[in-house]
Amino acid sequence: MRSLPYFCRGQVVRGFGRGSKDLGIPTANFPESVVDNLPADISTGIYYGWACVDNGDIHKMVMSIGWNPYYKNTKKSMETHVIHKFKEDFYGQILSVAMVGYIRPERGFESLDKLIAAIHSDIEEAKIKLDLPEHLKLKEHNFFKTSVSTTANQILNGHRL
């Protein structure tokens, strides 16, 4: 995947409502405009990287890109789980992410419990990989230093600022 690291920013929109409710793993969803502008070599699957909400702190994250086979979605989505406990939802706020690595392809699961276990495994793998020096340095990338207010009204994908 030549496009990694991949940087994108967009307003958090309501998703399918399953992350917190069904899975106990809250997710922030990007609008279709961000999903539709992914480079062709960013395949569906599970990614890890860095994320921040508005101009807040930068946290580790995992992201699912695809159709979520367990739920048989008909619309491709980008669902980000920021590895941090937030006090409240942040719908409407700007989420900035740097996707730095790939964990696995998306796949179907026989049960909800197996899906949840796989997500927890993905989170643990992301935590370990993001502690590597080559990934830690991306937490300090200029992308996260750019004020959200200067780019909030733009669809921002890739390395464009």
Side-chain angles (χ1 to χ4, degrees), residues 15 38 49 57 71 99 102 114 128 150-151 153:
L38 284 168
D57 292 337
Y71 290 104
M99 296 164 39
Y102 181 77
K114 289 185 179 183
I128 292 166
T150 62
T151 59
N153 294 322

Side-chain angles (χ1 to χ4, degrees), residues 20-67:
S20 294
K21 193 170 24 177
D22 287 2
L23 305 172
I25 303 164
T27 59
N29 295 272
F30 278 113
E32 287 181 43
S33 57
V34 175
V35 179
D36 292 343
N37 283 295
L38 284 168
D41 72 322
I42 301 277
S43 60
T44 60
I46 311 304
Y47 293 80
Y48 61 91
W50 300 102
C52 73
V53 177
D54 285 338
N55 291 316
D57 292 337
I58 301 162
H59 302 284
K60 294 175 179 181
M61 69 84 177
V62 291
M63 177 189 290
S64 170
I65 297 177
W67 288 272

Side-chain angles (χ1 to χ4, degrees), residues 63-131:
M63 177 189 290
S64 170
I65 297 177
W67 288 272
N68 302 338
Y70 179 80
Y71 290 104
K72 298 175 177 54
N73 289 0
T74 58
K75 184 169 71 170
K76 188 176 182 181
S77 65
M78 290 172 69
E79 298 176 90
T80 305
H81 172 68
V82 181
I83 304 171
H84 176 76
K85 298 275 190 220
F86 289 91
K87 292 179 182 161
E88 56 190 39
D89 290 336
F90 45 87
Y91 295 115
Q93 293 179 272
I94 302 299
L95 178 67
S96 302
V97 301
M99 296 164 39
V100 302
Y102 181 77
I103 296 176
R104 64 174 175 83
E106 67 174 348
R107 61 178 186 257
F109 292 91
E110 296 170 8
S111 70
L112 188 60
D113 287 340
K114 289 185 179 183
L115 170 60
I116 292 168
I119 294 169
H120 283 290
S121 176
D122 297 336
I123 291 168
E124 292 309 310
E125 184 173 342
K127 287 178 180 178
I128 292 166
K129 288 185 173 182
L130 287 165
D131 283 337

